[in-house]
Amino acid sequence: AAAAELQGKYQKLAQEYSKLRAQNQVLKKGVVDEQANSASLKEQLKMKDQSLRKLQQEMDSLTFRNQQLAKRVELLQDELALSEARGKKNKKSVESSSQLSQEQKSVFNEDLQKKIEENERLHILFFEADEQHKRLEAELRSRLEVLETGAAQHQAVVDSLTKKYTETIEKLQNDKAKLEIKSQTLEREAKDCRLRTEECQQQLKNLQAALGSRLEESLCIINEKVPFNDTRSTRYNALNVPLHNRRNQLKLRDLAGQALAFVQELVTALLNFHTYTEQKVQIFPIDSATDTISPLNQKFSQYLHENASYVRPLEEGMLHLFESITEDTVTVLETTVKLKAFSEHLASYLGFLRKILPYQLKSLEEECESSLCTAALRARNMELHRDMKRLTAVFEKLHTYVSLLALPSTRPEGLLRTNYNFVFTNIAASLHGFHDILKDISKHYSQKATLEQDVPTATQKLITTNDCILSSVAALTNGAGKMASFFSNNLDHFTTSLSYGPKGGTEFISPLSAECMLQYKKKAAAYMKSLKKPCADSVPYEEALANRRVLLSSTESREGLAQQVQQSLEKIAKLEQEKEHWMLEAQLAKIKLEKENQKLKNSLSGHLTEAIQERSVLPNIAEQKKETTEKSPREPIKSTSLVSIQSPEHKRCLIKSLLCQAPDVESREDLIKTHYMSRIAELTSHLQLADSKSVHFHAECRALAKRLSLAEKSKESLTEELKLASQNITRLQASKLFCNDELMTTKRSYEDQLSMMSDHLCSMNETLTKQREEIDTLKMASKVSWQCSHGA
């Protein structure tokens, strides 16, 4: 993998190098062109400088000549002034010399006029030359700036290329170092692999010897124990139960359910279509409510009225087919007996379509011949005329292929297994053609409905009937499209799942053998169930989930709670007995209180005699109490005494009054009695707490015991998993030994790749040296061009 990655990297680098080399050639050409342009511009600049210098020299000469002429004019003006001064002195001489001076003035004026004109002409030429010089200078400066920017860009490109080449060189050097390290590691691994291969060869020899001995033993056992091999004969192999694929069966049942839904949708749409077509025949072009329709349309509507008896069986046949596909069966074309019934129902519906087709076509022709039918409506009717023929032809094709699929369940020689794929493919194509025809029918019916609305005699009943027909045709089109896409998407699954058979065989011999195979499958399933031992009664899953948290958190289990309930019931019974006892004691105390009140009234001696009588009465009452408790130990006794009804404060006041009225001996006895009673109450409360704690600890102990048993079971399961893991480890070690050969081959391939990579690295180094030289030449050329342009 690493070698492949490196090879990919080198290929990318080679591609980049080729691109950069092409760019380098373009850059070279651009630099040469720019150098030629700069040389031509330099020559033009030199010529312009020379012309400028000439013009400057002419300008200097003209200014010098102008200055000379100005001085001469000044001198002439001075001479003219002197001559005028002298003229005042001697007019005569002036008059005589006036003719001479006028001639001189005219000469001087002409000469001056010529000089002035020449000066103006020179000024104009100088101004034009100056403007032209400035314009040329601006153009040359702008071109110089453009050339400088281009040179800077070329320099930046050259710098980037040099940087990129240096980076690629560094990367290649690093890759080379890594590959060298990797080659060393691979050599070490190769040495280790050689040692391992030697060991594996030795182990392989031992294993071959052991397996040879085991093979001989197993062959002897097979020859002695196995009577015959039924897979050699196709007739006997057809009776073998194939491998049961539960997922495949569930998938087939799901697909059959989807197909059932699509067929139900199509059946509903077909029923609506035929029913609304019947209504349309009775309405248009002649309404049966106002006038009698033609005998043809009467017969046609009579046949259309019988559509349910032909369409409904399609749904029933598909439903029976869906119910025959269960999870326990083996669904192939040889076992789908219900497909024959569906094919027969489809044939009956096809006969119905053939029966109504001529009437439908004649009805359309009769409608075209009516006076209400326009040319456009006639064209739509003829299109529907063709569509109905195509629809019947498509149903004929579908019936042909479905009847072919039903042949293996009755006559398997009628359809070879190699032709299953062809039949399924043609069914899918026929369904797509059915969908296309229904789309055309929907389009033509919609156009016809719009045209019929414009007819003068169109009624609301006709419009609603047309809408119903359009909706039924749209439902038909939608259902056919769904069925076609469904069949096309699951075509491979149908081909593979409906053509598998027993292992080692190619097909079932006959439907009778397939039926026998299913019976054998049921017997085998019953035998496997009988082999399984019945599991012991366990706690239901929901109840176990409810009690798991209680069990794992060391709280009371269900049995502990049941024991606590039993113990609490026993305690309640004891408390009821004690309640009855104390109620009797309260009654005795009440009797005693009444007698004590009588004693207070009587004398002290009478009080003592009454006390003796009471002592004799008390044992009798105690005996009566025991008898009553033995008779009804668990029945609660309701006290009707006044002491039980009285409030605690009332009781305290009564006891205080008795203590005050009673003598010292009886008061001491009452105090002792109350002390012991309070002590007994404390002890009973402590006893109840101890009992509850003991029950709680007992429940915890039972829970811990159960947790311990669960832990032991988990320990056993973990030991079994550990054994399985050790077995897997041994298997993996064996597979590792077998993989060493593959490692040797991979190592050889790696060595070959390393040699190829080294050769590639050498070639890359050579190309990199060439690129460096080219970069150096580019640098020198760009520097020279930049210096030339900068110097200029």
Side-chain angles (χ1 to χ4, degrees):
E5 290 178 0
L6 287 170
Q7 191 171 2
K9 287 182 180 178
Y10 286 128
Q11 288 177 358
K12 289 179 181 178
L13 288 171
Q15 291 176 358
E16 291 179 359
Y17 172 69
S18 62
K19 290 179 182 177
L20 293 171
R21 193 166 184 180
Q23 292 177 1
N24 195 2
Q25 295 293 331
V26 174
L27 289 171
K28 273 184 179 180
K29 189 176 180 181
V31 169
V32 171
D33 293 337
E34 292 296 330
Q35 286 177 356
N37 289 329
S38 62
S40 63
L41 289 171
K42 283 177 184 178
E43 292 294 329
Q44 290 178 4
L45 189 62
K46 285 179 181 178
M47 295 294 289
K48 297 295 180 183
D49 288 336
Q50 288 176 2
S51 63
L52 185 63
R53 288 191 189 110
K54 288 179 181 179
L55 291 170
Q56 284 179 353
Q57 288 175 2
E58 290 178 358
M59 186 68 187
D60 293 335
S61 63
L62 287 171
T63 51
F64 179 72
R65 184 68 177 167
N66 196 6
Q67 288 175 0
Q68 285 180 351
L69 290 171
K71 288 179 181 178
R72 191 172 179 183
V73 167
E74 288 176 357
L75 290 172
L76 289 171
Q77 286 177 356
D78 293 335
E79 288 177 359
L80 182 61
L82 288 172
S83 65
E84 286 177 355
R86 289 175 184 173
K88 290 178 180 179
K89 293 178 180 179
N90 47 1
K91 291 179 180 179
K92 292 180 180 179
S93 59
V94 170
E95 290 176 355
S96 61
S97 62
S98 62
Q99 293 177 353
L100 182 64
S101 63
Q102 285 177 357
E103 290 177 358
Q104 289 177 354
K105 282 181 181 180
S106 63
V107 170
F108 284 139
N109 287 329
E110 288 176 359
D111 192 8
L112 183 63
Q113 189 68 29
K114 288 179 181 179
K115 295 295 182 184
I116 289 167
E117 289 176 355
E118 187 178 359
N119 196 3
E120 286 178 357
R121 186 174 59 78
L122 288 172
H123 273 290
I124 290 165
L125 289 172
F126 177 73
F127 180 74
E128 289 177 354
D130 192 10
E131 289 294 327
Q132 190 175 6
H133 172 69
K134 287 179 181 178
R135 187 172 62 255
L136 285 171
E137 187 177 1
E139 288 177 359
L140 291 171
R141 288 193 182 194
S142 63
R143 290 190 68 182
L144 183 63
E145 289 177 357
V146 171
L147 290 170
E148 285 179 353
T149 54
Q153 289 177 358
H154 291 315
Q155 185 64 32
V157 171
V158 169
D159 293 337
S160 64
L161 287 171
T162 52
K163 187 177 180 181
K164 195 170 184 180
Y165 286 141
T166 52
E167 288 177 356
T168 52
I169 290 164
E170 289 175 358
K171 284 182 181 178
L172 290 170
Q173 287 176 354
N174 293 328
D175 293 338
K176 185 179 178 181
K178 288 178 182 178
L179 286 171
E180 288 177 354
I181 294 166
K182 197 166 186 179
S183 64
Q184 292 175 1
T185 55
L186 287 171
E187 286 176 357
R188 292 172 188 169
E189 289 179 357
K191 290 179 182 178
D192 296 334
C193 288
R194 288 193 194 97
L195 297 173
R196 288 176 185 173
T197 49
E198 291 176 357
E199 294 176 358
C200 291
Q201 286 176 356
Q202 188 64 33
Q203 289 179 1
L204 182 63
K205 290 178 181 178
N206 298 329
L207 286 171
Q208 284 178 351
L211 289 172
S213 61
R214 289 178 67 183
L215 179 63
E216 291 177 357
E217 293 176 359
S218 60
L219 286 172
C220 292
I221 292 167
I222 289 167
N223 292 325
E224 291 175 0
K225 302 295 181 182
V226 179
F228 70 97
N229 187 7
D230 56 357
T231 57
R232 293 177 182 175
S233 175
T234 56
R235 292 178 61 191
Y236 297 134
N237 191 32
L239 299 175
N240 286 328
V241 180
L243 296 174
H244 183 64
N245 193 348
R246 181 173 174 272
R247 186 179 298 171
N248 187 16
Q249 286 296 119
L250 292 174
K251 176 73 173 175
L252 274 175
R253 184 168 175 80
D254 184 20
L255 293 176
Q258 294 180 24
L260 175 62
F262 293 144
V263 169
Q264 288 173 350
E265 188 176 352
L266 280 175
V267 164
T268 306
L270 285 170
L271 287 170
N272 293 330
F273 177 67
H274 292 313
T275 305
Y276 295 135
T277 306
E278 180 187 355
Q279 293 180 9
K280 174 73 179 297
V281 168
Q282 293 179 359
I283 294 170
F284 189 80
I286 299 170
D287 193 353
S288 62
T290 59
D291 197 356
T292 57
I293 60 176
S294 64
L296 176 72
N297 285 334
Q298 288 179 2
K299 198 71 174 175
F300 184 37
S301 62
Q302 182 182 353
Y303 285 149
L304 285 173
H305 193 68
E306 300 171 357
N307 66 83
S309 60
Y310 297 99
V311 179
R312 289 290 183 190
L314 292 174
E315 182 180 355
E316 294 174 1
M318 196 66 199
L319 180 62
H320 293 317
L321 180 62
F322 169 70
E323 290 174 351
S324 67
I325 300 171
T326 60
E327 182 182 348
D328 298 328
T329 59
V330 179
T331 304
V332 289
L333 287 177
E334 289 82 0
T335 59
T336 52
V337 185
K338 301 295 181 181
L339 191 60
K340 180 68 176 175
F342 180 74
S343 175
E344 292 174 354
H345 295 320
L346 187 59
S348 65
Y349 180 67
L350 179 61
F352 171 71
L353 287 179
R354 287 172 179 168
K355 184 170 66 173
I356 66 171
L357 180 62
Y359 294 97
Q360 194 167 15
L361 299 179
K362 290 290 184 181
S363 177
L364 289 170
E365 292 173 0
E366 185 179 342
E367 186 179 341
C368 291
E369 291 173 359
S370 67
S371 60
L372 298 174
C373 188
T374 60
L377 189 57
R378 191 176 294 109
R380 300 290 85 77
N381 286 332
M382 295 311 295
E383 287 174 352
L384 285 172
H385 192 280
R386 290 190 295 271
D387 292 338
M388 291 304 168
K389 289 182 180 178
R390 291 168 59 200
L391 183 64
T392 308
V394 165
F395 269 103
E396 288 177 353
K397 191 182 291 185
L398 279 173
H399 170 254
T400 302
Y401 292 121
V402 171
S403 60
L404 283 174
L405 286 181
L407 277 177
S409 61
T410 56
R411 288 190 303 107
E413 67 275 3
L415 181 65
L416 297 176
R417 187 166 290 214
T418 54
N419 295 326
Y420 287 177
N421 191 9
F422 176 73
V423 174
F424 282 118
T425 307
N426 284 325
I427 288 174
S430 301
L431 287 172
H432 281 290
F434 179 49
H435 181 228
D436 295 336
I437 291 167
L438 287 174
K439 284 195 290 187
D440 293 339
I441 290 172
S442 177
K443 182 176 70 174
H444 297 153
Y445 252 116
S446 63
Q447 294 173 357
K448 182 182 177 182
T450 53
L451 291 172
E452 285 178 354
Q453 287 179 3
D454 299 333
V455 175
T457 59
T459 60
Q460 186 63 34
K461 190 175 181 181
L462 176 64
I463 294 169
T464 53
T465 305
N466 284 332
D467 292 338
C468 293
I469 290 173
L470 285 174
S471 63
S472 62
V473 172
L476 264 176
T477 308
N478 191 14
K482 288 179 183 178
M483 184 170 283
S485 60
F486 160 76
F487 206 87
S488 298
N489 293 333
N490 299 295
L491 187 61
D492 296 333
H493 185 76
F494 285 138
T495 306
T496 55
S497 62
L498 294 176
S499 60
Y500 78 99
K503 188 176 180 181
T506 55
E507 60 185 359
F508 293 101
I509 298 299
S510 64
L512 182 61
S513 65
E515 188 177 356
C516 292
M517 179 271 298
L518 291 177
Q519 292 177 1
Y520 293 152
K521 181 180 179 299
K522 290 178 182 178
K523 289 181 181 179
Y527 178 67
M528 294 301 292
K529 286 181 182 178
S530 65
L531 288 177
K532 290 182 179 179
K533 294 180 180 179
C535 297
D537 294 335
S538 62
V539 180
Y541 183 70
E542 296 178 354
E543 188 176 353
L545 282 178
N547 294 330
R548 183 175 179 274
R549 189 177 295 172
V550 178
L551 183 64
L552 296 178
S553 60
S554 300
T555 56
E556 296 175 352
S557 64
R558 188 168 181 178
E559 294 179 359
L561 290 171
Q563 289 181 359
Q564 285 185 8
V565 169
Q566 187 68 29
Q567 290 176 2
S568 62
L569 289 172
E570 292 175 359
K571 286 182 181 179
I572 288 167
K574 289 179 181 179
L575 290 171
E576 290 291 338
Q577 292 176 2
E578 289 178 0
K579 181 183 177 184
E580 186 179 357
H581 170 70
W582 288 113
M583 286 174 72
L584 291 172
E585 290 289 339
Q587 288 179 1
L588 291 171
K590 185 179 179 182
I591 295 167
K592 189 175 180 181
L593 181 60
E594 290 176 355
K595 290 181 179 180
E596 287 293 332
N597 289 327
Q598 289 178 2
K599 285 176 186 179
L600 288 172
K601 293 178 182 179
N602 297 326
S603 62
L604 182 62
S605 62
H607 177 71
L608 291 172
T609 56
E610 287 175 0
I612 291 164
Q613 290 175 359
E614 287 173 3
R615 287 172 187 171
S616 64
V617 169
L618 282 171
N620 296 325
I621 294 169
E623 289 175 0
Q624 292 175 1
K625 181 195 69 163
K626 288 180 181 178
E627 290 175 358
T628 54
T629 54
E630 287 175 0
K631 289 178 182 178
S632 60
R634 292 188 181 180
E635 292 180 359
I637 299 169
K638 294 183 180 179
S639 177
T640 57
S641 65
L642 295 170
V643 179
S644 61
I645 298 169
Q646 292 172 354
S647 63
E649 294 179 357
H650 195 324
K651 289 178 181 178
R652 290 193 196 102
C653 295
L654 186 61
I655 290 166
K656 284 181 182 178
S657 64
L658 286 171
L659 288 172
C660 292
Q661 294 174 1
D664 295 335
V665 178
E666 292 180 357
S667 65
R668 282 195 214 111
E669 288 178 359
D670 292 334
L671 289 172
I672 291 165
K673 186 179 180 181
T674 54
H675 172 69
Y676 279 114
M677 290 295 291
S678 63
R679 184 65 178 164
I680 287 165
E682 290 177 359
L683 289 172
T684 52
S685 63
H686 285 300
L687 182 62
Q688 289 176 357
L689 287 171
D691 289 338
S692 63
K693 285 182 180 179
S694 65
V695 170
H696 178 69
F697 288 138
H698 180 67
E700 283 190 353
C701 290
R702 288 178 66 84
L704 287 171
K706 286 187 177 181
R707 288 184 68 185
L708 182 62
S709 64
L710 289 171
E712 288 177 353
K713 289 180 182 178
S714 64
K715 182 181 177 183
E716 291 176 358
S717 63
L718 287 171
T719 52
E720 291 178 357
E721 289 178 359
L722 184 63
K723 288 179 183 178
L724 291 172
S726 62
Q727 291 176 1
N728 291 327
I729 288 166
T730 54
R731 289 174 185 171
L732 288 171
Q733 287 177 355
S735 63
K736 183 179 178 184
L737 294 174
F738 285 113
C739 290
N740 286 328
D741 295 332
E742 295 181 359
L743 286 172
M744 288 295 294
T745 55
T746 52
K747 186 210 168 201
R748 288 170 186 169
S749 64
Y750 278 133
E751 288 176 353
D752 296 334
Q753 288 177 1
L754 282 171
S755 62
M756 290 172 67
M757 292 295 286
S758 60
D759 297 335
H760 192 63
L761 281 171
C762 293
S763 63
M764 288 295 288
N765 288 324
E766 291 176 359
T767 54
L768 285 170
T769 53
K770 290 179 181 178
Q771 286 180 0
R772 283 180 180 174
E773 292 175 358
E774 290 176 357
I775 289 165
D776 294 333
T777 55
L778 284 171
K779 283 183 179 179
M780 291 297 293
S782 61
K783 283 181 181 178
V784 169
S785 64
W786 184 77
Q787 287 175 359
C788 292
S789 62
H790 210 71

